[in-house]
């Protein structure tokens, strides 16, 4: 039986994204067996694979990392902690010794079988002698074909796989089948969230126990103490807190995940103003930080209510990705008719308390869809689109992305450099800024260029966010170009 690799591991070995690998499968360039690929088929599809061929993968990883705030990045490093490295090396050494012993036994068995067949070829029964000779010829042929399969390229790929197993552990979740890698000394929970997977959790610091899950296969190691007490019965069943453990070996974990907006509870959290960045005269990026013991769970594209002491409040889309529920980003538009926004531009101070209530809304990524995606935002409607994009980058299942950002003037693209950086770093991502005033005629003129490029939208998922008029105009035009209503997702901003 040839060695099989999961799609996540195969993509990592040849240094491409998982979505790029899925393109090869869909085009027929690469075949799969029970959702996996063989080493030989992988090398046949990507013959240029080298040990150092990780450029595209590194680009995607950089995008994921830059979606997380600096303070959180400092908590983890690229290399695992020495204790974790030692544990992984010890485990692999034991596997190597066991494998070598098994191989020795099989080689001895084959040699004995070979000798028996040679002896049987001397018997008088011509028919039996003929069968023995045929079996001997088959063994010779199999030995030669095996030698051809195990060539230098295969050895190199398997060696790279071993190195990756030391540097990063692979995790598969059941029953969902989601997969991700644990880099550095990150906890299982941190790695899952960074990969865009909505594991169940609460505080992420070992107090609440909501991230408790059962390790079905593999070994883990505790990386931080936790106050939550796991019962002896649960320990015997393999339950661990995902926020307090990392992986020593590849894992299979039985864990709860949120699959729908109704799976995430309503939360009330008191956060602090961490940063106020006025990026243009009309745009303010507000960064809030929750306590270490209480992070916000949400889906990309959702909104919350922000409330100040005294009752002043407003509804805002979260502009950051769910990979870091402690550090939250909001984009405030000074032209919006909102008293909290007006106060934020003039009086809000660092360290000031802001109450968060939510999340709410169903403008979320269609995670089970692998269709190419178009994202369209008008002005500060970019906030939920940014969250969706960062989440999509983390999931790495969408074949291609194209972002159209419309604004009434050049200053309206208040994070233009970020979008251009994404386009430079990701081969599958395109970015087009378009200047258009928020009136029906100007919007239709701007959108006509999009429809010229994508005349048939039947195979796309489309996400649009912006003022009500923008949503209405876009919906009307897109549905005239074969876009099914089930593939059109929208969110109206103030």
């Amino acid at each position: 039986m040839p060695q099989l690799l999961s799609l996540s591991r195969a993509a990592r070995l040849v240094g491409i994204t998982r979505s790029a690998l899925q393109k090869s499968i869909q085009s027929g360039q690469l075949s799969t067996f029970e959702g996996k690929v063989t080493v030989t088929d992988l090398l046949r599809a990507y013959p240029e694979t080298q040990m150092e061929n990780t450029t595209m993968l590194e680009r995607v990883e950089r995008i994921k990392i830059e979606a997380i705030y600096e303070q959180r990045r400092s908590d983890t490093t690229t290399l695992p902690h020495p204790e974790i490295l030692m544990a992984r090396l010890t485990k692999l050494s034991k596997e190597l010794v066991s494998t070598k012993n098994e191989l020795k036994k099989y080689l001895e068995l084959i040699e004995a079988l070979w000798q028996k067949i040679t002896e049987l070829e001397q018997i008088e029964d011509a028919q039996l002698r003929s069968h023995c000779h045929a079996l001997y010829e088959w063994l010779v042929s199999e030995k030669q074909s095996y030698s051809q399969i195990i060539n230098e390229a295969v050895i190199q790929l398997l060696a790279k796989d071993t190195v990756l197993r030391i540097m990063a552990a692979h995790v598969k979740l059941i029953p969902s089948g989601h997969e991700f890698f644990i880099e550095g000394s990150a906890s299982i929970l941190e790695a899952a969230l960074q990969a865009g997977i909505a594991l169940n959790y609460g505080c992420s610091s070992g107090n609440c126990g909501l991230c408790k899950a059962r390790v079905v296969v593999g070994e883990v190691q505790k990386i931080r103490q936790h106050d939550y007490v796991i019962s002896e019965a649960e320990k015997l069943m393999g339950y661990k807190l995902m926020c307090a453990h990392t992986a020593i070996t590849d894992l299979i974990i039985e864990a709860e995940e949120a699959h729908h907006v109704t799976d995430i509870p309503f939360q009330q959290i008191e956060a602090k103003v961490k940063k106020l960045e006025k990026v243009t005269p009309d745009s303010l990026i507000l960064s809030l930080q929750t306590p270490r013991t209480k992070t916000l769970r949400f889906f990309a594209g959702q909104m919350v209510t922000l409330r100040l002491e005294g009752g002043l409040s407003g509804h805002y889309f979260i502009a950051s990705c769910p990979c870091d529920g402690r550090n939250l980003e909001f984009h405030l538009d000074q032209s919006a008719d909102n008293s909290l926004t007006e106060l934020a531009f003039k009086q809000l101070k660092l360290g000031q308390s802001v109450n968060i209530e939510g999340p709410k809304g169903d403008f979320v990524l269609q995670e089970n869809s692998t269709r190419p995606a178009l994202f369209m935002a008008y002005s500060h409607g970019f906030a939920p689109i940014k969250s969706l994009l960062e989440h999509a980058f983390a999931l790495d299942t969408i074949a291609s992305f194209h972002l159209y950002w419309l604004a009434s003037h050049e200053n309206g693209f208040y994070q233009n450099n970020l979008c251009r950086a994404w386009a430079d770093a990701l081969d599958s991502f395109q970015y087009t800024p378009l200047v258009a005033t928020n009136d029906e005629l100007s919007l239709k003129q701007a959108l006509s260029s999009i429809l010229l490029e994508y005349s048939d939208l039947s195979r796309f998922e489309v996400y649009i966010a912006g003022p009500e008029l923008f949503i209405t105009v876009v919906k009307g035009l897109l549905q005239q170009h074969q876009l099914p209503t089930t593939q059109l997702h929208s969110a109206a901003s103030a």
Side-chain angles (χ1 to χ4, degrees):
M1 183 72 182
Q3 181 166 352
L4 296 172
L5 301 168
S6 69
L7 298 190
S8 295
R9 188 175 290 282
R12 195 177 187 87
L13 284 172
V14 296
I16 61 173
T17 63
R18 178 167 171 167
S19 57
L21 189 71
Q22 287 173 327
K23 277 186 181 179
S24 297
I25 295 170
Q26 291 166 0
S27 68
Q29 181 185 0
L30 183 63
S31 58
T32 61
F33 177 77
E34 295 182 350
K36 296 184 178 182
V37 298
T38 67
V39 169
T40 50
D41 285 346
L42 187 65
L43 286 170
R44 191 178 297 116
Y46 297 93
E48 72 284 358
T49 296
Q50 300 293 330
M51 286 288 287
E52 66 277 8
N53 183 15
T54 58
T55 304
M56 188 58 187
L57 186 64
E58 288 170 356
R59 288 177 179 178
V60 177
E61 289 303 317
R62 187 168 69 250
I63 294 252
K64 291 181 182 180
I65 291 171
E66 288 174 353
I68 304 174
Y69 281 80
E70 192 68 36
Q71 182 171 344
R72 183 152 185 248
R73 290 209 302 269
S74 64
D75 293 339
T76 60
T77 57
T78 302
L79 289 172
H81 189 276
E83 289 184 5
I84 298 169
L85 273 175
M86 182 58 69
R88 288 179 182 169
L89 285 169
T90 301
K91 182 67 178 178
L92 283 173
S93 296
K94 291 179 179 178
E95 288 182 9
L96 178 60
V97 170
S98 176
T99 302
K100 288 180 70 175
N101 286 335
E102 286 292 317
L103 181 59
K104 184 180 178 182
K105 290 178 183 177
Y106 282 116
L107 288 173
E108 291 173 351
L109 181 62
I110 290 172
E111 288 297 328
L113 178 60
W114 207 299
Q115 183 62 36
K116 291 290 185 184
I117 294 174
T118 303
E119 292 173 0
L120 287 172
E121 284 193 310
Q122 309 304 317
I123 62 176
E124 295 181 359
D125 188 322
Q127 186 176 7
L128 183 57
R129 190 167 62 247
S130 174
H131 288 320
C132 289
H133 182 73
L135 180 58
Y136 179 85
E137 292 294 325
W138 177 80
L139 279 173
V140 171
S141 174
E142 285 296 302
K143 183 180 179 182
Q144 289 175 344
S145 63
Y146 182 77
S147 299
Q148 292 170 358
I149 292 173
I150 306 301
N151 55 31
E152 183 59 33
V154 173
I155 292 171
Q156 186 183 57
L157 197 70
L158 293 177
K160 183 178 180 181
D161 184 38
T162 301
V163 172
L164 288 177
R165 288 180 64 190
I166 296 171
M167 301 302 294
H170 175 263
V171 181
K172 181 177 181 179
L173 299 176
I174 55 174
S176 71
H178 285 148
E179 299 175 70
F180 60 96
F181 287 90
I182 300 179
E183 304 282 354
S185 298
S187 70
I188 299 169
L189 176 62
E190 288 170 336
L193 295 176
Q194 189 174 337
I197 297 171
L199 276 183
N200 191 32
Y201 78 103
C203 65
S204 73
S205 58
N207 294 311
C208 68
L210 291 177
C211 68
K212 179 174 61 180
R214 188 168 73 93
V215 178
V216 179
V217 175
E219 296 180 19
V220 299
Q221 179 169 306
K222 182 182 285 188
I223 54 175
R224 63 175 62 96
Q225 295 300 318
H226 53 83
D227 294 333
Y228 182 83
V229 178
I230 297 178
S231 70
E232 290 302 319
E234 289 174 326
K235 288 179 182 177
L236 291 174
M237 294 172 67
Y239 280 94
K240 305 286 184 182
L241 289 190
M242 299 298 99
C243 69
H245 290 80
T246 192
I248 295 300
T249 66
D250 291 348
L251 303 174
I252 296 177
I253 296 176
E254 184 180 37
E256 292 184 25
E257 297 177 59
H259 299 287
H260 190 267
V261 292
T262 55
D263 295 334
I264 295 183
F266 180 82
Q267 300 148 78
Q268 292 179 303
I269 302 172
E270 182 179 333
K272 300 288 185 183
V273 176
K274 181 184 177 183
K275 187 177 181 181
L276 293 161
E277 183 183 5
K278 197 171 184 180
V279 288
T280 72
D282 298 326
S283 303
L284 177 72
I285 295 181
L286 169 64
S287 299
L288 300 182
Q289 188 173 69
T290 71
R292 288 188 178 277
T293 56
K294 202 167 187 182
T295 56
L296 180 72
R297 288 188 68 200
F298 65 97
F299 278 113
Q302 288 193 293
M303 64 164 51
V304 295
T305 298
L306 300 183
R307 194 181 304 278
L308 298 178
E309 188 176 351
L312 201 61
S313 66
H315 306 301
Y316 299 92
F317 285 103
I318 305 168
S320 47
C321 76
C323 57
D324 186 1
R326 189 172 176 233
N327 294 288
L328 307 169
E329 180 181 310
F330 302 90
H331 298 174
L332 278 57
D333 178 9
Q334 191 171 27
S335 63
D337 184 16
N338 186 296
S339 54
L340 190 149
T341 297
E342 184 179 346
L343 184 144
F345 270 85
K346 297 177 180 178
Q347 300 178 31
L348 205 60
K349 304 294 182 184
L350 295 180
Q352 187 170 339
S353 293
V354 179
N355 288 310
I356 301 172
E357 300 172 0
K360 49 192 169 185
D362 57 3
F363 182 58
V364 297
L365 199 71
Q366 305 304 298
E367 295 186 7
N368 293 327
S369 173
T370 57
R371 297 184 184 95
L374 299 181
F375 297 84
M376 303 180 192
Y378 190 91
S379 188
H380 291 74
F382 175 67
I385 294 293
K386 174 178 177 288
S387 181
L388 289 178
L389 282 168
E390 289 183 344
H391 183 52
F393 295 153
L395 284 175
D396 188 24
T397 56
I398 297 177
S400 63
F401 318 77
H402 197 150
L403 166 63
Y404 291 92
W405 190 358
L406 289 79
S408 59
H409 50 81
E410 292 293 340
N411 280 344
F413 310 114
Y414 53 87
Q415 288 197 315
N416 192 51
N417 289 340
L418 173 66
C419 297
R420 293 195 180 282
W422 287 342
D424 289 341
L426 292 172
D427 293 343
S428 58
F429 178 78
Q430 292 178 268
Y431 167 54
T432 306
L434 296 170
V435 175
T437 56
N438 189 30
D439 62 79
E440 186 172 354
L441 178 60
S442 182
L443 288 173
K444 284 185 175 180
Q445 289 175 341
L447 292 167
S448 64
S449 63
I450 301 175
L451 297 175
L452 283 174
E453 191 167 358
Y454 298 99
S455 57
D456 182 2
L457 296 171
S458 60
R459 65 185 186 90
F460 287 84
E461 295 285 347
V462 180
Y463 303 86
I464 56 177
E468 288 283 2
L469 177 61
F470 173 72
I471 299 293
T472 301
V473 172
V474 174
K475 279 186 174 180
L477 287 175
L478 297 187
Q479 288 173 347
Q480 294 174 20
H481 287 73
Q482 294 81 49
L483 178 65
T485 55
T486 55
Q487 292 164 216
L488 176 59
H489 319 282
S490 63
S493 58

